[in-house]
Amino acid sequence: MLLQNIRLDIGRFLRFPPTLTLTLVLPFPHPPLSTAASSSLHRRHRRFASNFPMASTLSQSQHPAPPVAKKVEHAMELFGDVRIDNYYWLRDDSRTSPEVLSYLREENEYTDSIMSGTKNFQGKLFAEIRGRIKEDDISAPLRKGQYYYYKKTLEGKEYVQHCRRLISDNQKVPSVYDTMPTGPEAPQEHIILDENIKAQNYQYYSIGAFEVSPNNKLVAYAEDTKGNEIYTVYVIDAETQTPIGEPLLGVTSYLEWAGDDALVYITMDEILRPDKVWLHVLGTEQSNDTCLYVEKDDTFSLDLHASESKQYLFVASESKNTRFNFYLDVLKPEEGLKILTPRVDGIDTTVSHRGDHFFIKRRSDQVFNSEVVVCPVDNTSSATVLLPHRESIKIQDIQLFSDHLVAYERENGLQKITVHQLPPIGESLNSLQDGQTVRFIDPIYSVYSSQSEFSSSILRFSYSSLKTPPSVYDYDMKAGISVLKKIDSVLGGFDGTRYVTERKWAPALDGTLIPISIVYRKDLVKLDGSDPLLLYGYGSYEACIEPGFKSSRLSLLDRGFIYAIAHIRGGGEMGRQWYENGKLLKKKNTFTDFIASAEYLIENKFCSTEKLCIDGRSAGGLLIGAVLNMRPNLFKAAIAGVPFVDVVTTMLDPTIPLTTSEWEEWGDPRKEEFYFYMKTYSPVDNVKAQSYPHILVTAGLNDPRVMYSEPAKFVAKLRDVKTDDNILLFKCELGAGHFSKSGRFEKLQEDAFIYTFIFKALNLTSVLESSDA
């Protein structure tokens, strides 16, 4: 039931940021759940001025004329209302139209032209960002059976190697103090899969699942070579890399072993909705696979995960408001799926297993922050409450061990880990009393569950904060001791004590207090309104944008930036009702909360309008588009990444991937009330003749979540009607999808590009001209 075990996370539906530092993180405005980071620059730092000269001020009149998309009137009428979309022709589902591709290339060439004077700057900035990365590194080894499994990166290589080593005889009993031997006397390292080799012939390469068979002899992995999130599954011998059977084609990354000789996987329908679950026996043709279940309701999608005990697989069918579950005994896959929790509208259940009980996290309108119940495996209709519902504490997830239950919770906007001792398997289970809370070192932080051994008493979790690099801890649940297993190296003299993290509360229009996470370098900022600030927001799908670390962000903080995250309604940071009050007919709370957060930061001297930049991806890109239309004069610059901006048109078209499953998030505009409400905030429908700040919009041609044509139309309409002379750039990756390029250094180059755009937008050119002249 671990969040990260639900492979696509909320990203399956969400138009989601790769932030995902998110465990979350979702052809819709999905994420991450790491938050995207960018910022503005402080003029007063001479050190920055001397090292990073830049070109001239952003003013469109000084540059070549931007592309002008032709207008082809396309009228759409509903409820007596007519909308005219002059750029509807930019949508090409095949992604092969010469005219459309030519236009996208023109936009990319224009962006390159505008940014051409900053190439040296971008290169230096990229080198600085990359210079913080320890390029040859390994992840914290994970015990699994008789092996340590880990990922390894090599100097200069974009992708990881998947490796393992045998566990030494003297480490057979797990301990939080275990370390994997690596010396000449240690068991030999074995490379199972090298993504660098696999990626050689592709512009894009991503592995969405890497699953080791229970006997540790085979590995099944899901590979995407386009960025469209349609995977091919390969099975190989873990020792020899010999392929086993033929690959499985056209599947999702939902993939689990059912014993050592069979796989369970999920496929999608024509609108990319996960709708069928299959059983594949190794050595047989995919055409002969057994279909275990078909979800015919197009507002529901399937997912798949294994219990921590590895005795059961669970198939869930879910909408945005309802979730029900089936189970499969991995020792008896021929018996097929059996119902565990029935489909009841408004009831959301997530399940797992230990001993002779199923454990169920259950949410409803009455228990909106969830409760945990158990039922006997042989009597699933009989339930006992283990953890009751609490109005002030949200149960996000649970993780099971043979002797413990770990609850991942949220209270007052912050995450908690609470460990509960369970009675021996076979004994009755009753309500759990107050458990043991894991302590953390920062006032605001991000913590996620990691895969752990079910039979042990060691909980592994990942931790970071806005000033603490990603760290992996092993926590002894019996002794209450945390041991640091790995902290990501940050090269270049990083010192976390130089930074301040804090949480502020901004009053919304209705008086609701909106939490804002803030970080800055205490010896550089003045806090008198003169500091540049980058404000990030998301606010959809109950996704929580956690205040986690990003090393590239230091290139902003170390030049006097303040970075802030507005935890606005529509997200899940403050509990389920926080989400409910920012969706459907309350969606505009998301936008007004963000504006209120920006106003609070200005009023309290964190920045000024002339120094305020904003950023959001996917559904966060919708946020950016909406607030730009509502309050364009409040911001100096904006980044809208893969933005979901054509809300009404997209949600009216059930042939667009995942539209049907999103009606419970945004509303169904085929109903008059939702149609007119959506139209009041849909960014494309609300572009008007007014001045806008500097804007950078990004897209991915192969994006299955937010079709590239949405940001393309938004940009085309802005170019046509806006009255200012500020820069508007559109950058469309022609070989990538929702999460942009796949290589680790390629992603750092994107950070450098975005930061450079913001530096230019803040008009720092008067002191930065010399080196790029």
Side-chain angles (χ1 to χ4, degrees):
M1 193 181 300
L2 295 177
L3 286 175
Q4 79 273 12
N5 284 348
I6 303 178
R7 201 114 35 230
L8 296 182
D9 296 340
I10 53 176
R12 283 174 297 102
F13 310 104
L14 312 188
R15 306 167 198 284
F16 184 66
T19 219
L20 72 135
T21 307
L22 283 179
T23 4
L24 341 192
V25 218
L26 277 142
F28 273 74
H30 297 267
L33 184 292
S34 45
T35 50
S38 325
S39 248
S40 332
L41 177 66
H42 207 299
R43 300 171 191 250
R44 62 187 177 90
H45 298 305
R46 291 179 178 269
R47 183 169 64 83
F48 177 81
S50 62
N51 289 340
F52 289 87
M54 284 187 59
S56 58
T57 300
L58 280 176
S59 173
Q60 197 152 310
S61 62
Q62 300 175 17
H63 297 286
V68 177
K70 71 175 183 180
K71 292 183 179 180
V72 179
E73 184 173 305
H74 179 82
M76 297 169 286
E77 182 175 359
L78 190 63
F79 305 119
D81 180 64
V82 179
R83 293 181 303 126
I84 303 297
D85 185 349
N86 291 319
Y87 306 106
Y88 191 87
W89 66 272
L90 284 169
R91 174 183 168 183
D92 170 33
D93 293 1
S94 72
R95 276 93 167 165
T96 60
S97 164
E99 185 177 27
V100 171
L101 292 175
S102 175
Y103 172 74
L104 296 177
R105 290 190 182 101
E106 285 182 32
E107 286 285 2
N108 285 342
E109 290 166 3
Y110 175 71
T111 295
D112 289 342
S113 173
I114 296 297
M115 299 296 286
S116 62
T118 68
K119 291 299 183 184
N120 290 342
F121 176 82
Q122 288 182 53
K124 292 175 183 178
L125 190 58
F126 169 66
E128 176 184 292
I129 293 171
R130 181 170 174 171
R132 296 193 187 97
I133 306 298
K134 188 177 186 299
E135 295 191 15
D136 54 336
D137 204 359
I138 68 168
S139 63
L142 173 69
R143 292 180 65 116
K144 191 182 299 183
Q146 71 266 39
Y147 293 95
Y148 283 113
Y149 287 86
Y150 55 97
K151 295 178 183 179
K152 184 177 180 179
T153 54
L154 304 176
E155 186 172 354
K157 299 294 185 180
E158 292 276 8
Y159 300 96
V160 303
Q161 294 177 330
H162 299 262
C163 307
R164 73 180 183 186
R165 291 179 190 260
L166 278 168
I167 295 175
S168 303
D169 289 340
N170 61 356
Q171 292 186 333
K172 293 301 183 184
V173 179
S175 165
V176 291
Y177 300 106
D178 286 344
T179 58
M180 183 181 71
T182 57
E185 304 300 319
Q188 186 176 1
E189 176 180 88
H190 176 68
I191 300 173
I192 303 171
L193 184 72
D194 189 336
E195 292 187 21
N196 297 289
I197 295 174
K198 292 290 182 180
Q200 285 177 348
N201 298 321
Y202 301 106
Q203 187 176 356
Y204 180 95
Y205 189 84
S206 176
I207 286 185
F210 185 89
E211 298 294 334
V212 180
S213 63
N215 63 10
N216 288 280
K217 293 182 178 180
L218 303 176
V219 167
Y221 65 94
E223 176 185 276
D224 173 12
T225 58
K226 294 183 178 179
N228 60 6
E229 300 174 52
I230 299 174
Y231 293 85
T232 299
V233 170
Y234 298 89
V235 180
I236 59 173
D237 184 291
E239 286 295 319
T240 67
Q241 289 81 51
T242 302
I244 306 298
E246 295 298 316
L248 304 175
L249 306 178
V251 305
T252 69
S253 61
Y254 287 115
L255 178 69
E256 296 288 352
W257 286 95
D260 295 315
D261 303 311
L263 291 166
V264 176
Y265 64 93
I266 289 176
T267 59
M268 297 181 286
D269 62 13
E270 63 279 359
I271 59 170
L272 305 185
R273 177 181 65 93
D275 72 324
K276 296 183 182 69
V277 57
W278 301 84
L279 175 68
H280 172 74
V281 177
L282 298 188
T284 65
E285 298 291 329
Q286 184 177 3
S287 58
N288 294 326
D289 289 352
T290 301
C291 184
L292 299 176
Y293 180 71
V294 180
E295 179 51 75
K296 297 179 180 179
D297 187 333
D298 63 6
T299 65
F300 280 72
S301 300
L302 301 180
D303 71 28
L304 168 70
H305 73 278
S307 66
E308 291 92 340
S309 68
K310 304 303 181 185
Q311 291 182 237
Y312 292 94
L313 299 183
F314 298 109
V315 173
S317 182
E318 63 179 347
S319 69
K320 291 294 180 293
N321 200 41
T322 302
R323 178 181 169 103
F324 60 101
N325 297 267
F326 304 89
Y327 67 93
L328 179 76
D329 187 333
V330 297
L331 298 178
K332 304 173 185 177
E334 68 280 356
E335 293 185 0
L337 297 179
K338 298 179 181 179
I339 294 176
L340 175 51
T341 55
R343 175 172 172 168
V344 179
D345 187 49
I347 305 294
D348 181 309
T349 54
T350 305
V351 297
S352 196
H353 165 263
R354 168 193 177 265
D356 48 9
H357 286 86
F358 289 123
F359 287 64
I360 303 168
K361 181 174 75 73
R362 182 167 62 191
R363 180 196 56 75
S364 67
D365 289 343
Q366 290 72 40
V367 289
F368 50 83
N369 276 335
S370 298
E371 64 183 358
V372 176
V373 303
V374 293
C375 65
V377 169
D378 58 4
N379 184 12
T380 58
S381 62
S382 175
T384 299
V385 176
L386 283 188
L387 294 175
H389 172 257
R390 291 155 292 174
E391 291 193 5
S392 62
I393 299 177
K394 174 185 176 181
I395 303 173
Q396 275 196 291
D397 195 20
I398 64 170
Q399 183 176 358
L400 291 177
F401 295 81
S402 55
D403 297 321
H404 296 88
L405 180 150
V406 178
Y408 293 85
E409 301 169 319
R410 301 193 75 91
E411 184 175 19
N412 202 31
L414 294 176
Q415 297 168 286
K416 295 172 56 178
I417 296 179
T418 306
V419 178
H420 298 271
Q421 177 80 37
L422 294 175
I425 291 175
E427 294 189 10
S428 61
L429 289 166
N430 299 302
S431 179
L432 299 175
Q433 303 305 312
D434 292 340
Q436 180 174 273
T437 301
V438 180
R439 303 295 178 186
F440 304 116
I441 59 177
D442 295 294
I444 54 175
Y445 52 84
S446 169
V447 62
Y448 294 112
S449 59
S450 292
Q451 192 172 350
S452 306
E453 285 198 297
F454 173 74
S455 60
S456 80
S457 61
I458 300 172
L459 166 69
R460 172 162 289 188
F461 63 86
S462 298
Y463 174 89
S464 77
S465 77
L466 291 169
K467 67 173 186 176
T468 304
S471 311
V472 176
Y473 286 89
D474 279 352
Y475 179 77
D476 187 324
M477 292 183 284
K478 292 181 178 178
I481 298 171
S482 291
V483 175
L484 178 66
K485 307 304 291 185
K486 178 179 174 58
I487 183 168
D488 283 4
S489 298
V490 181
L491 307 181
F494 169 73
D495 179 1
T497 63
R498 296 190 296 183
Y499 304 88
V500 173
T501 61
E502 56 185 338
R503 175 153 289 184
K504 299 295 184 181
W505 300 84
L509 288 177
D510 60 3
T512 301
L513 294 178
I514 311 301
I516 306 174
S517 297
I518 298 173
V519 62
Y520 53 86
R521 191 168 141 177
K522 56 189 175 184
D523 61 328
L524 295 182
V525 302
K526 293 181 176 180
L527 300 180
D528 61 357
S530 66
D531 302 304
L533 186 147
L534 176 67
L535 177 62
Y536 185 84
Y538 188 70
S540 293
Y541 302 104
E542 206 176 356
C544 301
I545 303 301
E546 309 294 1
F549 188 83
K550 186 173 183 178
S551 63
S552 60
R553 193 183 297 140
L554 296 174
S555 291
L556 307 174
L557 300 180
D558 288 351
R559 294 180 173 84
F561 273 90
I562 298 171
Y563 178 76
I565 304 168
H567 303 283
I568 50 186
R569 281 176 286 187
E573 290 91 339
M574 298 292 288
R576 176 71 182 188
Q577 291 182 323
W578 197 252
Y579 166 58
E580 296 284 357
N581 287 322
K583 64 182 290 197
L584 297 173
L585 297 174
K586 297 180 180 179
K587 186 62 206 172
K588 287 197 283 190
N589 282 339
T590 301
F591 316 134
T592 55
D593 285 358
F594 189 81
I595 290 170
S597 299
E599 291 175 331
Y600 173 89
L601 293 168
I602 293 170
E603 290 166 5
N604 287 273
K605 305 297 184 181
F606 285 96
C607 64
S608 65
T609 296
E610 283 300 304
K611 295 292 186 71
L612 176 57
C613 304
I614 58 174
D615 185 14
R617 293 192 88 256
S618 202
L622 160 63
L623 165 70
I624 300 302
V627 300
L628 284 176
N629 286 328
M630 295 166 69
R631 289 289 302 279
N633 61 339
L634 189 59
F635 316 107
K636 183 66 175 181
I639 300 97
V642 290
F644 172 48
V645 284
D646 198 11
V647 181
V648 178
T649 300
T650 293
M651 297 309 297
L652 278 170
D653 189 347
T655 69
I656 293 178
L658 303 183
T659 288
T660 55
S661 63
E662 298 286 332
W663 284 330
E664 287 185 356
E665 177 74 23
W666 311 100
D668 183 351
R670 298 175 304 177
K671 300 175 181 178
E672 185 172 359
E673 183 179 25
F674 288 110
Y675 173 87
F676 284 106
Y677 184 79
M678 279 184 190
K679 190 184 173 187
T680 64
Y681 69 77
S682 174
V684 165
D685 292 292
N686 286 278
V687 171
K688 58 179 70 76
Q690 62 181 353
S691 292
Y692 286 85
H694 302 296
I695 303 172
L696 169 64
V697 180
T698 68
L701 181 65
N702 296 326
D703 191 339
R705 300 165 187 258
V706 179
M707 191 174 291
Y708 73 90
S709 54
E710 293 199 35
K713 289 197 283 185
F714 183 55
V715 169
K717 191 169 182 180
L718 278 168
R719 290 207 195 286
D720 183 47
V721 304
K722 73 188 187 81
T723 60
D724 60 85
D725 200 32
N726 293 325
I727 288 296
L728 170 61
L729 300 182
F730 180 44
K731 189 172 187 283
C732 182
E733 295 293 345
L734 301 181
H738 193 65
F739 301 109
S740 196
K741 294 180 178 179
S742 54
R744 58 175 177 151
F745 301 131
E746 292 175 319
K747 293 182 183 297
L748 299 182
Q749 287 176 323
E750 291 177 357
D751 286 343
F753 176 83
I754 290 172
Y755 296 167
T756 300
F757 170 80
I758 296 178
F759 297 158
K760 283 176 66 70
L762 289 178
N763 195 20
L764 297 170
T765 58
S766 59
V767 292
L768 300 174
E769 282 180 338
S770 59
S771 76
D772 281 5

